[in-house]
Amino acid sequence: MAAKSNGPIGEHSGRVLAGPTNPMVTPLLTDLYQFTMAYAYWKAGKHNERAVFDLYFRKNPFGGEYTIFAGLEECIRFIANFKLSEDEIDFVRESLSPSCEDGFYDYLRGVDCSGVEVYAITEGSVVFPKVPLLRVEGPVAVVQLLETPFLNLINYASLVSTNAARHRFVAGESKMLLEFGLRRAQGPDGGIGASKYCYMGGFHATSNVAAGKLFGIPLRGTHSHAFVSSFMSPDEIIDKSLRSSDSQSTCEDFVSLAQTWLSKIQWSNSLNGTFGETNQSELAAFTSYALAFPDNFLALVDTYDVMRSGIPNYCAVALALNDLGYKAAGIRLDSGDLAYLSCEARKIFHTIEKEFGVPGFGKTNITASNDLNEETLDALNKQGHEVDSFGIGTYVVTCYAQAALGCVFKLVEINNQPRIKLSEDVTKVSIPCKKRSYRLYGKEGYPLVDIMTGENEPPPKVGERILCRHPFNESKRAYVVPQRVEELMKCFWSGSPGGIREDLPPLKDIRDRCITQLRKMRPDHMRRLNPTPYKVSVSAKLYEFIHFLWLNEAPVGELQ
Amino acid sequence: MAAKSNGPIGEHSGRVLAGPTNPMVTPLLTDLYQFTMAYAYWKAGKHNERAVFDLYFRKNPFGGEYTIFAGLEECIRFIANFKLSEDEIDFVRESLSPSCEDGFYDYLRGVDCSGVEVYAITEGSVVFPKVPLLRVEGPVAVVQLLETPFLNLINYASLVSTNAARHRFVAGESKMLLEFGLRRAQGPDGGIGASKYCYMGGFHATSNVAAGKLFGIPLRGTHSHAFVSSFMSPDEIIDKSLRSSDSQSTCEDFVSLAQTWLSKIQWSNSLNGTFGETNQSELAAFTSYALAFPDNFLALVDTYDVMRSGIPNYCAVALALNDLGYKAAGIRLDSGDLAYLSCEARKIFHTIEKEFGVPGFGKTNITASNDLNEETLDALNKQGHEVDSFGIGTYVVTCYAQAALGCVFKLVEINNQPRIKLSEDVTKVSIPCKKRSYRLYGKEGYPLVDIMTGENEPPPKVGERILCRHPFNESKRAYVVPQRVEELMKCFWSGSPGGIREDLPPLKDIRDRCITQLRKMRPDHMRRLNPTPYKVSVSAKLYEFIHFLWLNEAPVGELQ
């Protein structure tokens, strides 16, 4: 990625950045206390003090040992367009105390993000607890206003792309993953966000048309149970003709052709009487759907009974299409024992391939849906199945197994003074100072450890031994001789003219980065059961400073 | 609520309805299969067949026995403005097969919801499984397009208002509930939706400024840990003067006044040496915040140490404000043992009220936050606490205990033919027919049972015995003599001119309805542990018909 020089505010790498995807993301999409604090800073004359905040999370989600970082582009688009309208300023005025001075609203009127710098890890990267995803610097009052929208834009995005990556990992790389969650998502853009970030995390397509349009994600979809039950019988199909695939001939009665195939299947020797009467409204629906989409006939086969009705009806219509040169696209199973049903369906497809000499019929695509999640995918794998594609909805989009990621935004420096947030819970103590962070790679090419250093410390060097310390646990430390050193944060937003900014890559590239990074992780960090934690550390110098500051700030107790 | 006659499409009760809150809610916010089905219906000449769909859920969330219905207004605003733009039609064309005929896109161009009728339970009502929340009638192709957006708009809305109501129930009606979840919500309008529907479910205020502006929800917020740690010492406060509340005098050095109070507290006999040195950056932050908001001084007291620093610093500043005629607003605890800390803080407030003669100081408002949920609220109650207000974030907005509600949208009739969706899982069998539903009340005024009947059956009558049957379990039935009968669904959208439509009430009224209905439920349905299921039934006639249709549609198995 080429780093380009800055244009004026609102531009990024030479192009004007559009605002966030959701027009509801405005400077008011923040907590009231960001405005009360902004007023208090302003009143105290502190609003322009230069502050540095780190955005990070404390624990990987879903019981795993890795997280995918997502949401950065939306944050940059937000700050590139950050400006309060008069209407918004009026509303802030109404919401604060009447005693607040007018000068503050004049100040707000002039606020933009030209004084802000954002250093961040590249979107789509594999990331770990405590290491800053973003370092945001700027006037303290302005940067505070960004806290809530940044957290909102990153928390769910990172959570759902991690969830998608985990589902992909369990399903296996050869399987196709379809995101079907819009109807169960947490609101409209919960759905749109899920579609975007599931794709980023490795899904292949979505059912969500709006997300397809917004982000260019491939779309998938066939028909529902309602479509099947809206038909009564094949008699109601009026236009029964279908042109062959090569347009050379026309079958005048495709309905009869399908019915003929159905009886052939019913009387087939190799299937030896597996099938009796099938549901006629289902046959009508399938035939009708095939007449509408002869080149993309995919049927939902469980409205009445998969094995006794859905499968034979599908095969009859697919074989009729085959007569006209069309290749049917497959079936979808949405209930029942998916392992058993997919294996039984596969057997029948193979038998039909052989019996009727239809090459490739045995490989008919089988899509499975119905409340799938990591556990059910794992169970299907253990049991053995013949599913090619998984349609996953509720569990992936709502992150049902863990519905929130706990990213936080902590002050680490103000006016060049390092700051620390203490807590009785040591995992909640923040790591002070403006920092840099590096990923150190070992001999086998795997990442070994992430290390944070003070901003002005010399970077770790390839081939040179460096001490990596646990930030809070004295006894945990290790020497590392890195074979490769990667600096993690790059500048994605620098308000000052002439500054350097990284490009915002297209979604497809972010997705590729994510998939590539996941493949390069050491397998024991990735496994579902008892994964090995990836090590996150600080330099010896930063370690000493943290503990100096800690003792300095904490009051001394008195036992009574 | 007065029922008013219809205006033209897009109007509702005489006013033009705005579109959905989120501009991303467009006709493309749907699953691709709704469009593939629409094409298949159109191709088969079935697209204008009159279909009836029920929207309902199968199981109450959170292990409870009730649900709050929410999201209706957004659905009505959506259909009042339903129209595909040329740009959207082009995208549908790109997404479907190139073989689809042009006539379909001409058809789509003309589609609106003038032929659609929506009957619904009033928003904010207490509702139960299987009873339709909405009955949507209209041309089958159009109604299918509404399925996904309706489910999306209702599922999360109902889930989060139910979650809010449950939190309110555990906290108790005397407590103030504040929604603080924006930063952890599932995306931007996950946050905005949460704020709206938590308020509907009984919360009192939100921190989300955008939601305050959009919906008129009261806003709350003070300052964060970062504000506290951004200060170094009281020396850095430049403008130290504060005018008294009555504007009659000015204290030239409010910082010293607060410091004087701090030493008085430290040397107080009744507090007998409870307090030693406090953190000076915290004292500076509190003093500075009080100078900015003398009439609304609320302090976060746990940045360094609640009892040794936060509480004495707060009391010092609050007593200094009291000298100038201001009443401080209270403290917020965001970590530690909230039960213990709130009780200890209360003791100190009472001691100070007595020692320094400050009436009301003992009643200082205590707000608690930090990962609160139903369980922690319940635990706090059992332990005993002195908290007045709860700030609840992650757990309420993401519905962490159960991140999705499973509303479904099922075809129950087409062309006046009742339809049923079968399933091997009996709880997934749909209840066919265009139906009405009623809530029957008993002698004590509590709702006893909901009953569904065929559309043309006579309604249950007050004082007349009626048989209520479980829809699927033969042996479960009971006679009821209702003391009051309430028809549950009313017409909220009728596309045809001159139709009758219910008003869409303002959010405040919906919230009141919700709170009132919850109060009127029999307590055993509401309790957290082992609540009694509320009964949902069908009429004897509908029962017979369901089972007739079921036998008719299900294939007869063969044991081998």
Side-chain angles (χ1 to χ4, degrees):
Chain A
M1 253 174 300
K4 304 240 176 82
S5 94
N6 242 2
I9 190 91
E11 277 187 29
H12 197 282
S13 308
R15 64 185 168 113
V16 176
L17 273 187
T21 302
N22 188 341
M24 294 164 86
V25 182
T26 68
L28 293 197
L29 191 75
T30 198
D31 291 306
L32 181 66
Y33 79 1
Q34 313 292 8
F35 284 107
T36 56
M37 285 191 280
Y39 180 74
Y41 286 132
W42 178 85
K43 183 83 170 92
K46 272 175 75 80
H47 53 294
N48 280 327
E49 289 186 2
R50 190 112 189 132
V52 183
F53 284 80
D54 281 351
L55 190 154
Y56 61 98
F57 59 92
R58 295 180 181 125
K59 199 173 179 317
N60 290 300
F62 311 118
E65 290 296 345
Y66 66 95
T67 299
I68 306 299
F69 171 46
L72 177 62
E73 178 178 338
E74 295 289 328
C75 291
I76 302 297
R77 286 165 60 169
F78 176 62
I79 56 174
N81 294 276
F82 189 95
K83 193 85 196 160
L84 283 111
S85 69
E86 282 305 310
D87 184 44
E88 289 169 336
I89 291 170
D90 287 346
F91 186 73
V92 174
R93 190 194 298 265
E94 282 170 38
S95 305
L96 296 186
S97 165
S99 68
C100 292
E101 295 168 30
D102 278 348
F104 175 65
Y105 304 105
D106 294 335
Y107 160 70
L108 276 189
R109 204 164 280 127
V111 163
D112 63 23
C113 288
S114 57
V116 174
E117 280 180 88
V118 178
Y119 287 79
I121 298 181
T122 305
E123 189 159 5
S125 297
V126 177
V127 292
F128 302 99
K130 298 196 267 300
V131 182
L133 306 174
L134 265 72
R135 186 181 82 206
V136 187
E137 310 175 31
V140 64
V142 178
V143 178
Q144 284 274 212
L145 289 175
L146 305 177
E147 172 178 21
T148 314
F150 273 21
L151 288 171
N152 180 279
L153 292 168
I154 287 170
N155 263 322
Y156 176 62
S158 300
L159 184 72
V160 73
S161 30
T162 307
N163 202 20
R166 295 182 61 87
H167 280 77
R168 182 182 155 109
F169 182 83
V170 181
E173 291 217 357
S174 66
K175 301 301 171 191
M176 177 85 100
L177 293 188
L178 317 171
E179 177 270 311
F180 284 174
L182 178 57
R183 61 187 58 197
R184 301 282 166 83
Q186 297 203 351
D189 85 356
I192 290 175
S195 302
K196 174 176 177 181
Y197 295 113
C198 283
Y199 183 65
M200 190 182 285
F203 272 50
H204 299 84
T206 178
S207 65
N208 178 346
V209 183
K213 185 165 191 291
L214 281 165
F215 311 115
I217 305 170
L219 289 171
R220 286 290 180 284
T222 164
H223 61 78
S224 71
H225 297 117
F227 181 81
V228 175
S229 50
S230 77
F231 285 81
M232 307 299 284
S233 91
D235 302 341
E236 66 186 293
I237 299 174
I238 300 153
D239 183 357
K240 304 176 182 184
S241 69
L242 181 63
R243 263 230 290 215
S244 64
S245 168
D246 59 7
S247 304
Q248 297 301 303
S249 62
T250 295
C251 165
E252 293 304 331
D253 191 348
F254 183 75
V255 176
S256 297
L257 183 59
Q259 279 166 324
T260 308
W261 270 112
L262 182 60
S263 42
K264 282 192 205 167
I265 294 168
Q266 283 161 339
W267 292 100
S268 141
N269 277 332
S270 358
L271 294 164
N272 57 50
T274 311
F275 303 123
E277 286 298 300
T278 65
N279 186 295
Q280 290 301 291
S281 66
E282 184 177 64
L283 181 62
F286 288 1
T287 311
S288 199
Y289 195 80
L291 286 165
F293 297 101
D295 47 7
N296 195 19
F297 171 61
L298 201 154
L300 176 63
V301 293
D302 70 337
T303 305
Y304 298 104
D305 188 301
V306 174
M307 295 311 298
R308 287 199 294 258
S309 187
I311 296 285
N313 279 337
Y314 168 80
C315 292
V317 176
L319 290 165
L321 283 172
N322 181 63
D323 283 351
L324 300 174
Y326 296 104
K327 192 175 169 325
I331 60 165
R332 178 159 74 97
L333 299 166
D334 190 41
S335 59
D337 181 336
L338 301 173
Y340 169 80
L341 292 171
S342 65
C343 292
E344 289 299 302
R346 180 70 67 215
K347 277 186 222 160
I348 290 164
F349 296 150
H350 278 304
T351 307
I352 284 176
E353 169 162 356
K354 223 168 145 184
E355 163 107 3
F356 301 109
V358 188
F361 204 90
K363 292 197 176 125
T364 290
N365 188 288
I366 301 177
T367 300
S369 48
N370 189 27
D371 286 349
L372 295 174
N373 59 26
E374 278 194 68
E375 278 66 41
T376 49
L377 290 175
D378 191 50
L380 280 171
N381 287 344
K382 284 180 179 143
Q383 220 178 321
H385 66 84
E386 286 288 340
V387 176
D388 303 291
S389 310
F390 292 105
I392 308 181
T394 312
Y395 289 96
V396 72
V397 306
T398 67
C399 300
Y400 206 90
Q402 181 182 326
L405 180 64
C407 281
V408 294
F409 193 77
K410 294 290 170 195
L411 180 71
V412 294
E413 188 180 296
I414 188 163
N415 279 337
N416 299 313
Q417 299 293 318
R419 304 306 284 149
I420 192 168
K421 155 81 178 73
L422 302 181
S423 173
E424 285 175 36
D425 179 355
V426 70
T427 65
K428 287 194 166 185
V429 173
S430 66
I431 299 179
C433 302
K434 185 165 171 179
K435 298 180 285 293
R436 291 174 183 267
S437 50
Y438 304 90
R439 185 157 296 172
L440 309 185
Y441 291 79
K443 280 183 191 158
E444 294 170 49
Y446 294 125
L448 287 182
V449 61
D450 284 4
I451 185 168
M452 292 171 263
T453 72
E455 201 209 2
N456 297 318
E457 287 186 56
K461 288 199 185 69
V462 170
E464 275 187 23
R465 201 172 77 149
I466 181 169
L467 183 62
C468 299
R469 298 200 64 159
H470 186 288
F472 305 122
N473 188 329
E474 204 177 15
S475 65
K476 287 190 178 174
R477 59 225 158 121
Y479 282 109
V480 173
V481 181
Q483 301 303 304
R484 186 155 85 83
V485 175
E486 180 189 16
E487 176 150 19
L488 290 172
M489 287 195 291
K490 291 166 185 167
C491 182
F492 280 89
W493 179 260
S494 141
S496 58
I500 298 297
R501 291 175 194 161
E502 289 296 314
D503 270 342
L504 293 173
L507 178 57
K508 183 72 177 56
D509 292 2
I510 300 176
R511 179 175 186 272
D512 291 345
R513 176 185 189 83
C514 173
I515 292 171
T516 310
Q517 285 222 338
L518 286 166
R519 279 198 197 117
K520 286 187 181 161
M521 290 298 298
R522 215 174 59 201
D524 60 315
H525 299 309
M526 311 304 288
R527 67 186 174 218
R528 282 190 69 233
L529 279 180
N530 300 321
T532 313
Y534 179 84
K535 286 188 180 55
V536 166
S537 67
V538 295
S539 66
K541 203 168 161 191
L542 184 55
Y543 179 90
E544 296 304 331
F545 189 74
I546 294 169
H547 293 266
F548 161 77
L549 208 63
W550 194 336
L551 286 178
N552 223 28
E553 293 284 358
V556 184
E558 232 173 274
L559 294 175
Q560 288 173 332
Chain B
M1 253 172 301
K4 305 242 175 83
S5 93
N6 241 0
I9 191 90
E11 279 188 30
H12 197 278
S13 308
R15 64 184 169 114
V16 177
L17 273 187
T21 302
N22 187 340
M24 293 164 87
V25 182
T26 67
L28 294 197
L29 191 75
T30 198
D31 291 305
L32 181 66
Y33 81 1
Q34 312 293 7
F35 283 107
T36 56
M37 286 192 278
Y39 180 74
Y41 287 131
W42 178 85
K43 182 83 171 90
K46 271 175 75 80
H47 53 293
N48 280 326
E49 288 186 2
R50 190 117 189 126
V52 183
F53 284 79
D54 281 350
L55 189 153
Y56 61 96
F57 58 93
R58 295 178 180 127
K59 200 171 178 320
N60 291 300
F62 311 117
E65 290 297 344
Y66 65 95
T67 299
I68 306 298
F69 171 46
L72 177 61
E73 178 178 337
E74 295 289 328
C75 291
I76 301 299
R77 286 165 60 168
F78 175 63
I79 57 175
N81 293 277
F82 189 96
K83 195 84 195 159
L84 283 110
S85 69
E86 281 306 309
D87 183 46
E88 290 169 334
I89 290 170
D90 286 346
F91 186 75
V92 174
R93 189 195 298 264
E94 284 170 38
S95 306
L96 296 186
S97 165
S99 67
C100 292
E101 296 169 30
D102 279 348
F104 174 64
Y105 304 105
D106 295 335
Y107 160 70
L108 276 189
R109 203 163 280 126
V111 163
D112 63 23
C113 287
S114 58
V116 173
E117 279 180 88
V118 177
Y119 287 79
I121 298 181
T122 305
E123 189 160 5
S125 296
V126 178
V127 292
F128 303 99
K130 299 197 266 300
V131 182
L133 306 174
L134 265 72
R135 186 180 82 207
V136 187
E137 311 175 31
V140 64
V142 179
V143 178
Q144 284 273 212
L145 289 176
L146 304 177
E147 173 178 20
T148 313
F150 273 22
L151 288 171
N152 179 279
L153 291 168
I154 287 170
N155 263 323
Y156 175 61
S158 300
L159 184 71
V160 72
S161 31
T162 307
N163 202 20
R166 295 182 62 86
H167 280 76
R168 182 182 155 109
F169 182 82
V170 181
E173 291 217 357
S174 67
K175 301 302 172 191
M176 177 84 101
L177 293 188
L178 318 172
E179 177 269 310
F180 283 173
L182 178 57
R183 62 187 59 197
R184 300 283 166 84
Q186 298 203 351
D189 86 354
I192 290 175
S195 302
K196 174 176 177 181
Y197 296 113
C198 282
Y199 183 67
M200 189 182 284
F203 271 49
H204 299 85
T206 178
S207 64
N208 178 346
V209 183
K213 184 165 193 290
L214 281 164
F215 309 118
I217 305 171
L219 289 172
R220 287 289 180 285
T222 165
H223 61 79
S224 71
H225 296 117
F227 181 81
V228 175
S229 49
S230 78
F231 285 81
M232 306 298 285
S233 92
D235 302 339
E236 66 185 296
I237 301 175
I238 301 154
D239 183 358
K240 303 176 181 185
S241 70
L242 182 62
R243 264 233 287 218
S244 66
S245 167
D246 60 8
S247 304
Q248 297 302 301
S249 61
T250 296
C251 164
E252 293 304 332
D253 190 349
F254 184 74
V255 176
S256 297
L257 183 59
Q259 278 166 325
T260 309
W261 270 112
L262 183 60
S263 42
K264 282 192 203 167
I265 294 168
Q266 283 163 337
W267 293 100
S268 141
N269 277 332
S270 359
L271 294 164
N272 56 52
T274 310
F275 303 123
E277 286 297 302
T278 65
N279 186 295
Q280 290 301 292
S281 68
E282 183 178 64
L283 181 62
F286 288 1
T287 310
S288 199
Y289 196 79
L291 286 166
F293 296 102
D295 48 8
N296 196 19
F297 172 62
L298 202 153
L300 175 63
V301 292
D302 69 337
T303 303
Y304 298 103
D305 188 303
V306 174
M307 296 310 299
R308 287 200 294 259
S309 186
I311 297 284
N313 279 337
Y314 167 80
C315 292
V317 176
L319 290 165
L321 283 172
N322 181 64
D323 283 351
L324 300 175
Y326 296 104
K327 193 176 168 322
I331 61 165
R332 178 159 75 95
L333 297 167
D334 190 40
S335 59
D337 181 338
L338 301 174
Y340 170 80
L341 292 172
S342 66
C343 293
E344 289 300 302
R346 180 70 68 217
K347 275 188 225 160
I348 290 164
F349 297 149
H350 278 303
T351 307
I352 285 177
E353 169 162 356
K354 225 170 145 185
E355 163 109 2
F356 302 108
V358 187
F361 203 90
K363 290 199 177 124
T364 291
N365 188 290
I366 300 177
T367 299
S369 49
N370 188 27
D371 286 349
L372 295 173
N373 60 24
E374 277 193 66
E375 279 65 41
T376 48
L377 291 175
D378 192 49
L380 280 172
N381 287 343
K382 283 180 180 142
Q383 221 179 318
H385 67 81
E386 286 288 340
V387 176
D388 304 291
S389 309
F390 292 106
I392 309 182
T394 313
Y395 289 96
V396 72
V397 306
T398 66
C399 300
Y400 205 92
Q402 180 182 327
L405 180 66
C407 280
V408 294
F409 193 77
K410 293 290 170 195
L411 180 72
V412 296
E413 190 181 295
I414 187 162
N415 279 337
N416 299 313
Q417 301 292 318
R419 304 307 282 151
I420 191 169
K421 155 79 178 75
L422 301 182
S423 173
E424 284 174 37
D425 178 355
V426 71
T427 64
K428 287 193 166 186
V429 173
S430 67
I431 299 179
C433 301
K434 185 166 169 176
K435 298 179 287 291
R436 290 174 185 267
S437 51
Y438 304 89
R439 185 156 295 172
L440 309 184
Y441 291 78
K443 281 182 189 158
E444 294 169 50
Y446 293 124
L448 287 182
V449 61
D450 284 4
I451 184 169
M452 292 170 264
T453 73
E455 199 209 1
N456 298 317
E457 287 187 57
K461 287 202 184 68
V462 170
E464 274 187 23
R465 201 172 77 149
I466 181 169
L467 184 62
C468 298
R469 298 201 64 160
H470 186 288
F472 305 121
N473 187 329
E474 204 177 17
S475 66
K476 288 191 177 173
R477 57 227 159 121
Y479 282 109
V480 173
V481 181
Q483 302 303 304
R484 185 156 86 83
V485 174
E486 179 190 16
E487 178 151 16
L488 289 172
M489 287 195 290
K490 293 168 185 165
C491 182
F492 280 89
W493 180 260
S494 141
S496 57
I500 298 296
R501 290 176 196 161
E502 290 295 316
D503 269 342
L504 293 174
L507 179 57
K508 184 72 178 56
D509 292 5
I510 300 176
R511 179 176 186 272
D512 290 347
R513 176 186 189 84
C514 173
I515 292 171
T516 310
Q517 284 220 341
L518 286 166
R519 279 198 195 116
K520 286 186 179 163
M521 290 299 297
R522 216 173 61 200
D524 59 315
H525 299 310
M526 312 304 289
R527 66 185 173 217
R528 283 189 69 232
L529 279 180
N530 300 320
T532 314
Y534 180 84
K535 285 187 179 55
V536 166
S537 67
V538 296
S539 67
K541 206 169 158 188
L542 183 55
Y543 178 91
E544 296 304 332
F545 188 75
I546 293 168
H547 293 266
F548 161 77
L549 208 63
W550 193 336
L551 287 179
N552 224 29
E553 293 284 357
V556 182
E558 233 173 272
L559 294 175
Q560 287 172 334

